[in-house]
Amino acid sequence: MRVGMRMMLTGAGIGIAASAIGAAEPINIGSRLELLVDDYLLDGREGVELRLHHPTPREVAIVFDRPWEGNACHYVTVFRDEGTYRMYYAAWHLDTTEGKLKPSKLRIGLAESDDGIVWRKPELGLIEFEGSKANNLVWEGAGSHGFAPFRDSNPDCAPEELYKAVGQGSFEEKSGLWALVSPDGLRWSLMGDRPILTGCAFDSQNLAFWDPVRQEYRAYVRDFREGRRDIKTATSPDFRNWTDLEWLIFPDAPDEQLYVNQVAPYYRAPHIFIGFPARYVERSWSPSLRALPERDNREQRSRAGERYGTALTDSLLMTSRDGLTFKRWGEAFLRPGIQREGSWAYGDTYLQWGLVETTSDMPGAPNQLSLYAVEGYWTGTTSRLRRYTIRIDGFVSAYAPLSGGEFVTKPIIFEGDRLVVNFSTSAAGDIRVELEDADGRPIEGFALDDCDEVYGDEIERTVTWGERAELGALAGKPVRLRFLLRSGSASASPRRDTHLREESREGGP
C-alpha cells in the first residue's frame, strides 16, 4: 500500500485522546497511493491543519506569435505521448479595437517538446492558412471551441480512435459537444454527424477521458446554474452513449463562478480526481481596478462589453473520490501574482488540462510536476504560456507550527510490506510514525519509541522501527497510522506498488 502524506510539524508531540478517535470501518486501500488532499483517511488530529500549496513560476514556455495565432490562445491541453510531450491549444485572436468583439476564425494548433520545457511548433502541412499549409495547425471546424484531446487508454479502444477529443461546435454556433477521433493525434475527424451531448452552454473548455479505475468514460462540461457558471458531469461505456448530465456537488464551498474545470484522474493515484477550475470574478470600476496593469487595454475591452474589462480570473484546486462530490479549496491555487504586463485580466491564469513530469533545474533533485498557465490574454496581438512547477504529490500537506501536532488515520487495510513517506523537515526536525490496532493501541515493535527518526527531504523514504522496515505480517489487518512531526511536513500519497507508502513533503507558505 502507499499512503502519501504531506505534513509539516514542529515542536514537542501532543496526544490525541482516545475519545477523539472514532470507531470507523476499515478502509481497504490495497497497494494504492493515497493523497492528503482531503480528510478521507483522517480520524483525529491536534495542532495540524491541511494546508494548500502553490506552484512556482518558471520560464515562459511558449509565445503565440504566428500569423494564425493571437491574443486569445488558451484552452490548452498537455500530455506526454510516449517519448514526446504534446500541447494542443486554440489558435485564436480577439479584436475589440472598434468597440465590438470581433473574433478570428478558431483553429487548433499543436506544439511538441522532448522535455516539457523547450517547445517547438512543427510544420505539419495539414490545414491551410492564407493559401499555405506550412504551419502547425491540426483542426478547424466543428468541435474547435474548447478542443480537448486525450490518448485513450481503454484496452478495447479501436486503433483508428486511439486519440479522442471533445469540443463545442464553434464559438459562434452553440450546437452541443462534438466528439472527434484520430489514429495519430494529428489527423482528426468527427466521430459522428451529431453532438454526443446537448442541452448545456458548453462555452468553455469541456473535456472527457477514460477512467481506468471505474472502467468508463467521464465528461465534465460547463453550464449555467441559476445564472452562475458551474460544472456538470456524465459517464459513458463507449464514448457515444452518455448518461444525463448532473451538477457537481461542492459541500461547504461558496457559490462561485467556475469557468474551466480541468478534471482528470491523478496519474499516480487514479482513484482520485484532481481539477483546477478557473474562478471568474466580476469587479466594478474602482481605483484598484484602474491601478491594475494595462489600463488602456482594459478600457478598450470594456467598450466591447463591460465584463471584458472588469472581470478577473484565478485558478482553484478541487479533488474528488467519486467524480461527483468535490472538495474545493477557497484560497486560489494559482493567483494572478505580482502586477506586471500581461497579468490581472479576464482569461489570465487559466491552467491547462493535464499534468506532466519534468526534470528539476537543480542537479540531482527529483522530477517535478509541470503546469502551464495563460498570460497576456486578450492584450495586444499575442499571448503566452508560463510554466509552473510543484512537488510531486505536493498539492496539500498536513501542517503544524513549532508547538507541534499529530494526526491519526482511520483503520486501513493494506497490501505490501513497507511504509514509504514523501516528506521534508528542517535540520532540527523529524517525523515519527506509530502503527496501532483498530482500537488505537500501539502494535508491539511499532510504537513511537520504536520508530527511527525520519528527517531530510525526499519524495520516497522507507520508515523503519529499530531499523526494521518489513510490515508484511500486518498486511490484510486493520491498522491505524499515528504521525508525530517536528519541523517537518508530510503529504499522504500512496502509489500502486507492493509497498505501504506514506508520502509527505516540506511545509507550505
Side-chain angles (χ1 to χ4, degrees):
M1 157 192 106
R2 292 180 154 191
V3 179
M5 299 195 175
R6 182 181 194 281
M7 52 188 85
M8 172 177 273
L9 160 65
T10 52
I14 52 182
I16 299 176
S19 60
I21 299 176
E25 286 294 318
I27 300 172
N28 191 336
I29 68 171
S31 62
R32 73 191 184 205
L33 174 72
E34 285 294 341
L35 299 176
L36 270 187
V37 290
D38 54 24
D39 58 4
Y40 176 72
L41 289 177
L42 303 186
D43 203 22
R45 55 189 166 109
E46 188 170 337
V48 167
E49 65 173 288
L50 295 184
R51 175 168 289 189
L52 178 69
H53 295 278
H54 308 275
T56 300
R58 303 295 184 184
E59 75 288 340
V60 171
I62 193 166
V63 177
F64 301 114
D65 55 1
R66 302 292 174 85
W68 52 87
E69 296 172 340
N71 63 11
C73 295
H74 64 342
Y75 293 161
V76 179
T77 298
V78 177
F79 59 88
R80 188 168 186 179
D81 190 6
E82 296 181 333
T84 301
Y85 295 78
R86 284 184 164 180
M87 175 189 292
Y88 297 83
Y89 60 93
W92 205 25
H93 184 76
L94 298 176
D95 185 3
T96 56
T97 55
E98 297 178 5
K100 59 180 66 175
L101 179 61
K102 296 171 59 178
S104 69
K105 184 173 183 178
L106 202 164
R107 303 172 177 88
I108 303 302
L110 171 68
E112 294 181 337
S113 173
D114 297 324
D115 57 9
I117 300 172
V118 178
W119 292 87
R120 59 183 177 272
K121 300 174 185 177
E123 189 174 298
L124 299 174
L126 298 174
I127 305 294
E128 185 173 308
F129 176 81
E130 294 184 351
S132 172
K133 291 186 177 181
N135 58 58
N136 65 326
L137 298 173
V138 297
W139 181 251
E140 62 180 357
S144 57
H145 186 63
F147 180 90
F150 67 101
R151 179 169 173 148
D152 194 348
S153 59
N154 181 352
D156 297 326
C157 173
E160 64 272 18
E161 297 183 357
L162 180 59
Y163 297 83
K164 293 181 173 67
V166 294
Q168 188 188 27
S170 69
F171 180 66
E172 296 85 1
E173 301 172 11
K174 318 299 185 186
S175 57
L177 192 68
W178 292 79
L180 301 94
V181 293
S182 170
D184 57 8
L186 301 176
R187 297 159 183 83
W188 292 87
S189 60
L190 292 173
M191 195 176 70
D193 59 1
R194 65 186 64 185
I196 57 171
L197 288 169
T198 58
C200 286
F202 300 117
D203 56 339
S204 179
Q205 186 178 17
N206 308 283
L207 52 89
F209 53 82
W210 172 250
D211 179 354
V213 174
R214 297 157 190 85
Q215 296 289 291
E216 62 186 2
Y217 293 99
R218 183 172 286 274
Y220 289 89
V221 305
R222 227 281 288 284
D223 203 2
F224 285 85
R225 189 176 193 172
E226 299 176 352
R228 171 172 46 85
R229 296 161 178 84
D230 210 335
I231 305 165
K232 286 180 174 178
T233 187
T235 62
S236 169
D238 57 10
F239 213 71
R240 289 164 170 80
N241 301 289
W242 293 82
T243 61
D244 292 338
L245 288 158
E246 53 185 326
W247 293 110
L248 297 193
I249 301 168
F250 299 106
D252 303 321
D255 292 340
E256 294 180 299
Q257 303 230 50
L258 304 177
Y259 226 89
V260 297
N261 65 80
Q262 316 308 51
V263 174
Y266 183 52
Y267 74 110
R268 284 163 52 90
H271 64 293
I272 297 176
F273 297 96
I274 294 183
F276 303 99
R279 175 169 52 190
Y280 171 88
V281 181
E282 289 192 19
R283 298 284 193 173
S284 57
W285 285 103
S286 67
S288 277
L289 190 69
R290 293 185 178 90
L292 294 178
E294 298 166 300
R295 175 176 167 179
D296 290 346
N297 280 319
R298 194 179 306 274
E299 291 176 343
Q300 175 183 296
R301 293 194 300 271
S302 281
R303 288 192 287 273
E306 184 74 6
R307 71 187 185 92
Y308 298 156
T310 61
L312 305 173
T313 48
D314 56 20
S315 287
L316 306 176
L317 174 74
M318 64 182 188
T319 65
S320 175
R321 292 174 180 270
D322 64 5
L324 181 64
T325 300
F326 281 77
K327 174 179 175 56
R328 194 175 84 229
W329 295 79
E331 171 57 39
F333 176 69
L334 180 61
R335 294 182 178 184
I338 192 72
Q339 290 180 206
R340 63 207 184 280
E341 182 181 345
S343 70
W344 283 94
Y346 169 26
D348 284 325
T349 70
Y350 280 12
L351 282 168
Q352 93 294 345
W353 183 40
L355 295 167
V356 292
E357 275 193 37
T358 55
T359 57
S360 172
D361 57 2
M362 297 178 62
N367 284 353
Q368 303 169 311
L369 293 178
S370 279
L371 311 89
Y372 309 81
V374 176
E375 283 187 358
Y377 182 74
W378 215 336
T379 301
T381 58
T382 67
S383 51
R384 60 188 179 270
L385 283 184
R386 183 173 298 277
R387 187 172 70 98
Y388 290 77
T389 59
I390 194 166
R391 186 184 180 116
I392 288 177
D393 308 333
F395 307 105
V396 177
S397 73
Y399 170 89
L402 183 62
S403 56
E406 66 174 273
F407 69 85
V408 64
T409 70
K410 298 171 184 174
I412 57 177
I413 296 174
F414 68 91
E415 300 172 7
D417 63 356
R418 295 174 188 270
L419 172 66
V420 179
V421 296
N422 179 346
F423 75 102
S424 176
T425 73
S426 69
D430 58 63
I431 297 172
R432 290 186 295 153
V433 186
E434 178 173 87
L435 302 187
E436 302 175 344
D437 64 19
D439 296 322
R441 293 185 293 264
I443 296 173
E444 185 176 356
F446 298 99
L448 282 176
D449 290 342
D450 300 313
C451 185
D452 300 313
E453 290 180 325
V454 176
Y455 53 85
D457 189 332
E458 281 189 75
I459 302 297
E460 297 186 2
R461 169 82 66 83
T462 299
V463 179
T464 58
W465 293 261
E467 300 186 12
R468 294 181 297 113
E470 296 76 14
L471 303 177
L474 300 177
K477 301 175 182 179
V479 298
R480 294 178 185 268
L481 305 178
R482 179 187 175 197
F483 279 77
L484 269 72
L485 304 89
R486 295 188 314 123
S487 192
S489 76
S491 70
S493 10
R495 284 194 261 172
R496 300 194 304 168
D497 58 14
T498 58
H499 295 347
L500 169 67
R501 298 192 175 268
E502 200 69 54
E503 309 212 354
S504 59
R505 67 164 233 196
E506 177 159 318

